[in-house]
Amino acid sequence: MADTLFTKIINREIPADIIHEDELSLAFKDINPQAPHHFLVIPKKSIATVNDIQEEDKALVGHLFMVAAKLATELGFAEEGYRTVMNCNQNGGQTVYHLHLHVLGGKPLGWPPYQEKLKTI
Ligand code: 5GP
């Protein structure tokens, strides 16, 4: 898989506001926040999309959620609640092809998250 800019953030080749690092994952603030708290939790392993998660990655993906909840707790918004999102491919709105878990919190979030009218298929 080709390197993405998230690989460059892991390798400290481009700067990011990193809030957590361990042997498996990195978390950093989103450059274009959509909520008062908006950070991304990514695996250090290069996995392009949700479609590319393998059997061997199950614990790793679970770890990303554990990190998300730990950071939400530490940052003080876990109890009031938050949203976790993994966008997949074009229709999911994915723009960076390195698996990442969005964590958004700090305000009530609307649902559904899209504005356009649903078209009947
Ligand atoms: P996606 O659209 O792929 O689900 O999410 C990619 C996210 O990465 C977007 O929310 C975008 O704002 C964020 N992002 C893109 N480039 C950078 C960057 O260079 N640094 C940081 N911290 N976030 C980025």
Side-chain angles (χ1 to χ4, degrees):
M1 181 187 132
D3 277 2
T4 68
L5 63 93
F6 288 177
T7 309
K8 292 185 169 54
I9 289 176
I10 293 168
N11 294 334
R12 307 305 201 268
E13 290 163 17
I14 60 172
D17 192 347
I18 294 170
I19 56 173
H20 171 87
E21 181 169 24
D22 60 50
E23 67 207 32
L24 297 174
S25 70
L26 193 73
F28 53 90
K29 293 186 181 175
D30 196 292
I31 204 167
N32 182 23
Q34 302 300 312
H37 293 281
H38 185 180
F39 59 85
L40 306 172
V41 188
I42 70 171
K44 289 186 173 173
K45 178 179 176 180
S46 293
I47 301 171
T49 79
V50 171
N51 292 338
D52 300 298
I53 296 169
Q54 302 299 310
E55 190 73 20
E56 71 211 29
D57 301 321
K58 287 198 297 191
L60 174 59
V61 174
H63 180 74
L64 303 182
F65 282 89
M66 297 293 293
V67 170
K70 175 180 175 296
L71 292 174
T73 300
E74 288 174 4
L75 292 167
F77 63 91
E79 282 306 313
E80 63 190 11
Y82 55 96
R83 182 167 298 156
T84 54
V85 178
M86 274 189 188
N87 295 324
C88 182
N89 279 341
Q90 191 174 357
N91 279 3
Q94 185 171 6
T95 58
V96 180
Y97 282 76
H98 182 121
L99 195 73
H100 50 281
L101 183 63
H102 291 262
V103 182
L104 302 115
K107 69 171 188 180
L109 298 162
W111 190 265
Y114 45 78
Q115 302 297 323
E116 73 273 19
K117 279 188 184 163
L118 280 180
K119 292 195 182 78
T120 314
I121 295 172

XYZ file of all heavy atoms in Angstrom, residues 56-103:
372
model
N -6.548 -11.117 11.120
C -5.437 -10.879 12.052
C -5.472 -9.464 12.653
O -4.730 -9.169 13.589
C -4.100 -11.083 11.325
C -3.793 -9.995 10.319
C -2.969 -10.466 9.125
O -3.078 -11.636 8.762
O -2.239 -9.623 8.577
N -6.321 -8.587 12.096
C -6.379 -7.198 12.564
C -7.497 -6.964 13.587
O -7.685 -5.832 14.034
C -6.616 -6.248 11.376
C -5.540 -6.341 10.313
O -4.362 -6.481 10.679
O -5.885 -6.274 9.111
N -8.226 -8.019 13.933
C -9.400 -7.817 14.785
C -9.043 -7.165 16.121
O -9.712 -6.230 16.568
C -10.139 -9.138 15.017
C -10.898 -9.604 13.785
C -11.959 -10.641 14.076
C -11.405 -11.910 14.616
N -12.427 -12.997 14.640
N -7.995 -7.642 16.753
C -7.603 -7.063 18.048
C -7.111 -5.633 17.863
O -7.373 -4.765 18.715
C -6.530 -7.920 18.705
N -6.427 -5.382 16.766
C -5.920 -4.037 16.486
C -7.075 -3.048 16.332
O -7.042 -1.940 16.889
C -5.063 -4.070 15.205
C -4.558 -2.735 14.671
C -3.705 -2.017 15.704
C -3.762 -2.952 13.376
N -8.103 -3.437 15.604
C -9.249 -2.549 15.406
C -9.974 -2.325 16.744
O -10.370 -1.204 17.073
C -10.194 -3.110 14.325
C -11.468 -2.267 14.216
C -9.476 -3.151 12.974
N -10.093 -3.367 17.536
C -10.665 -3.208 18.877
C -9.845 -2.241 19.714
O -10.392 -1.429 20.466
N -8.545 -2.318 19.559
C -7.641 -1.423 20.300
C -7.918 0.035 19.953
O -7.880 0.904 20.836
C -6.192 -1.806 19.969
C -5.177 -0.960 20.669
N -4.906 -1.085 22.009
C -4.381 0.041 20.212
C -3.982 -0.200 22.344
N -3.649 0.498 21.278
N -8.203 0.320 18.693
C -8.479 1.712 18.296
C -9.677 2.256 19.082
O -9.676 3.412 19.520
C -8.752 1.811 16.790
C -7.657 1.287 15.843
C -8.076 1.503 14.395
C -6.309 1.946 16.122
N -10.698 1.415 19.264
C -11.874 1.847 20.035
C -11.536 2.013 21.512
O -12.048 2.933 22.172
C -13.029 0.862 19.841
C -13.745 1.034 18.525
C -13.325 0.352 17.397
C -14.829 1.898 18.419
C -13.972 0.531 16.177
C -15.478 2.081 17.208
C -15.045 1.396 16.084
N -10.682 1.138 22.037
C -10.273 1.274 23.441
C -9.533 2.592 23.657
O -9.742 3.290 24.655
C -9.373 0.096 23.855
C -10.030 -1.262 23.797
S -11.349 -1.477 25.001
C -10.428 -1.458 26.526
N -8.662 2.937 22.707
C -7.918 4.210 22.789
C -8.894 5.379 22.692
O -8.788 6.360 23.446
C -6.841 4.280 21.686
C -6.240 5.682 21.601
C -5.742 3.248 21.948
N -9.874 5.269 21.781
C -10.860 6.343 21.625
C -11.578 6.601 22.951
O -11.704 7.758 23.394
C -11.869 5.967 20.541
N -12.053 5.549 23.591
C -12.798 5.701 24.849
C -11.897 6.224 25.972
O -12.323 7.070 26.780
C -13.424 4.367 25.238
N -10.667 5.752 26.014
C -9.722 6.216 27.045
C -9.469 7.714 26.896
O -9.507 8.471 27.879
C -8.415 5.425 26.912
C -7.287 5.844 27.827
C -6.068 4.950 27.573
C -4.846 5.374 28.350
N -4.330 6.697 27.992
N -9.241 8.159 25.666
C -8.963 9.582 25.440
C -10.207 10.433 25.700
O -10.105 11.528 26.269
C -8.442 9.799 24.013
C -7.053 9.209 23.747
C -6.692 9.337 22.265
C -5.988 9.886 24.602
N -11.379 9.938 25.291
C -12.620 10.678 25.559
C -12.814 10.832 27.067
O -13.235 11.897 27.545
C -13.807 9.964 24.922
N -12.485 9.805 27.823
C -12.575 9.876 29.286
C -11.588 10.904 29.826
O -11.935 11.779 30.623
C -12.308 8.492 29.895
O -13.283 7.581 29.392
C -12.368 8.532 31.417
N -10.348 10.816 29.367
C -9.309 11.734 29.854
C -9.637 13.185 29.497
O -9.340 14.107 30.264
C -7.947 11.358 29.265
C -7.372 10.086 29.865
C -6.105 9.621 29.194
O -5.597 10.314 28.298
O -5.626 8.530 29.557
N -10.237 13.382 28.329
C -10.560 14.744 27.878
C -11.892 15.230 28.449
O -12.268 16.386 28.248
C -10.582 14.798 26.344
C -9.205 14.600 25.688
C -9.331 14.340 24.196
C -8.315 15.813 25.940
N -12.604 14.337 29.148
C -13.770 14.759 29.924
C -15.096 14.756 29.201
O -16.066 15.336 29.697
N -15.197 14.098 28.039
C -16.492 14.109 27.352
C -17.064 12.711 27.123
O -18.065 12.555 26.403
C -16.419 14.894 26.031
C -15.488 14.319 24.980
C -15.961 13.417 24.041
C -14.165 14.696 24.927
C -15.124 12.897 23.058
C -13.316 14.186 23.950
C -13.790 13.283 23.022
N -16.491 11.705 27.777
C -16.972 10.333 27.567
C -18.385 10.140 28.106
O -19.234 9.534 27.451
C -16.018 9.332 28.201
N -18.642 10.673 29.280
C -19.944 10.432 29.911
C -21.071 11.125 29.163
O -22.158 10.568 29.004
C -19.916 10.884 31.376
C -19.216 9.896 32.296
C -19.776 8.474 32.187
O -21.011 8.315 32.203
O -18.981 7.537 32.066
N -20.815 12.340 28.685
C -21.895 13.043 27.963
C -22.092 12.456 26.574
O -23.162 12.592 25.987
C -21.630 14.545 27.910
C -20.381 14.951 27.154
C -20.041 16.434 27.348
O -20.652 17.080 28.217
O -19.145 16.932 26.652
N -21.082 11.796 26.058
C -21.230 11.051 24.819
C -20.482 11.659 23.647
O -20.054 12.819 23.681
N -20.335 10.845 22.624
C -19.541 11.245 21.458
C -19.855 10.278 20.326
O -20.634 9.328 20.491
C -18.044 11.244 21.798
C -17.511 9.942 22.343
C -16.892 9.011 21.508
C -17.638 9.631 23.693
C -16.400 7.816 22.007
C -17.153 8.438 24.205
C -16.532 7.539 23.359
O -16.067 6.349 23.861
N -19.277 10.546 19.177
C -19.494 9.686 18.006
C -18.165 9.166 17.498
O -17.170 9.911 17.464
C -20.202 10.473 16.899
C -20.504 9.634 15.654
C -21.458 10.352 14.733
N -22.727 10.561 15.410
C -23.599 11.525 15.101
N -23.344 12.357 14.117
N -24.725 11.640 15.776
N -18.148 7.890 17.100
C -16.995 7.312 16.411
C -17.441 6.956 14.996
O -18.545 6.441 14.798
C -16.469 6.050 17.121
O -17.536 5.128 17.284
C -15.862 6.386 18.470
N -16.583 7.267 14.031
C -16.918 7.057 12.615
C -15.690 6.559 11.878
O -14.592 7.081 12.070
C -17.362 8.388 11.945
C -17.651 8.173 10.456
C -18.564 8.997 12.635
N -15.895 5.552 11.026
C -14.875 5.173 10.043
C -15.505 5.280 8.667
O -16.409 4.512 8.339
C -14.407 3.729 10.263
C -13.309 3.583 11.269
S -12.664 1.890 11.252
C -11.584 1.980 12.676
N -15.103 6.266 7.906
C -15.613 6.420 6.550
C -14.903 5.427 5.630
O -13.702 5.209 5.764
C -15.368 7.847 6.054
C -16.144 8.876 6.857
O -17.266 8.619 7.270
N -15.537 10.026 7.093
N -15.663 4.841 4.707
C -15.070 3.841 3.801
C -15.338 4.206 2.345
O -16.497 4.308 1.922
C -15.639 2.456 4.105
S -14.910 1.174 3.063
N -14.244 4.436 1.635
C -14.288 4.649 0.178
C -15.130 5.866 -0.205
O -15.506 6.674 0.645
C -14.739 3.373 -0.533
C -13.578 2.385 -0.706
O -12.426 2.771 -0.624
N -13.897 1.138 -0.927
N -15.404 5.977 -1.489
C -15.956 7.220 -2.039
C -17.304 7.595 -1.427
O -17.486 8.717 -0.941
C -16.097 7.074 -3.550
C -16.399 8.388 -4.255
C -16.399 8.236 -5.765
O -16.127 7.175 -6.303
N -16.716 9.304 -6.443
N -18.245 6.678 -1.420
C -19.568 7.029 -0.906
C -19.571 7.248 0.598
O -20.465 7.915 1.138
C -20.601 5.954 -1.280
C -21.110 6.118 -2.698
O -20.647 7.001 -3.416
N -22.035 5.268 -3.110
N -18.593 6.696 1.281
C -18.473 6.921 2.717
C -17.781 8.232 3.042
O -17.695 8.612 4.210
N -17.235 8.895 2.005
C -16.573 10.175 2.239
C -15.126 10.050 2.683
O -14.561 10.998 3.229
N -14.519 8.880 2.436
C -13.118 8.704 2.850
C -12.197 9.501 1.928
O -12.338 9.443 0.697
C -12.741 7.215 2.807
C -11.336 6.953 3.339
C -11.036 5.456 3.497
O -11.832 4.607 3.102
N -9.882 5.165 4.063
N -11.287 10.247 2.517
C -10.338 11.039 1.727
C -8.897 10.610 1.954
O -8.038 10.878 1.125
C -10.470 12.542 2.045
O -10.256 12.742 3.442
C -11.844 13.074 1.653
N -8.616 9.991 3.093
C -7.260 9.516 3.380
C -7.328 7.996 3.508
O -8.063 7.467 4.356
C -6.699 10.139 4.677
C -5.291 9.616 4.941
C -6.688 11.669 4.590
N -6.533 7.321 2.659
C -6.651 5.860 2.576
C -5.667 5.156 3.509
O -4.846 4.336 3.090
C -6.574 5.418 1.105
C -7.913 5.691 0.447
C -8.262 6.989 0.085
C -8.856 4.697 0.300
C -9.516 7.272 -0.436
C -10.107 4.964 -0.218
C -10.433 6.247 -0.585
O -11.681 6.517 -1.084
N -5.789 5.523 4.763
C -5.132 4.850 5.890
C -6.215 4.801 6.957
O -6.720 5.856 7.367
C -3.910 5.641 6.362
C -3.145 4.992 7.483
N -1.805 4.649 7.381
C -3.527 4.629 8.733
C -1.406 4.106 8.527
N -2.434 4.088 9.368
N -6.586 3.598 7.373
C -7.705 3.422 8.313
C -7.626 4.430 9.458
O -6.550 4.637 10.029
C -7.651 2.001 8.880
C -8.902 1.502 9.597
C -10.001 1.213 8.571
C -8.589 0.241 10.390
N -8.748 5.070 9.772
C -8.767 6.014 10.892
C -10.157 6.068 11.499
O -11.163 6.041 10.800
C -8.314 7.415 10.469
C -8.993 7.955 9.253
N -8.647 7.573 7.976
C -9.996 8.855 9.113
C -9.413 8.210 7.105
N -10.256 8.987 7.768
N -10.159 6.164 12.809
C -11.399 6.270 13.576
C -11.560 7.727 13.987
O -10.734 8.259 14.742
C -11.306 5.365 14.804
C -12.540 5.271 15.699
C -13.723 4.680 14.938
C -12.226 4.414 16.929
N -12.600 8.372 13.448
C -12.910 9.731 13.893
C -13.563 9.647 15.270
O -14.446 8.800 15.501
C -13.941 10.390 12.974
C -13.462 10.722 11.606
N -13.038 11.984 11.261
C -13.361 9.965 10.486
C -12.700 11.993 9.971
N -12.884 10.786 9.479
N -13.193 10.532 16.167
C -13.869 10.657 17.467
C -14.310 12.113 17.594
O -13.479 13.030 17.545
C -12.941 10.271 18.631
C -13.693 10.361 19.962
C -12.378 8.872 18.429
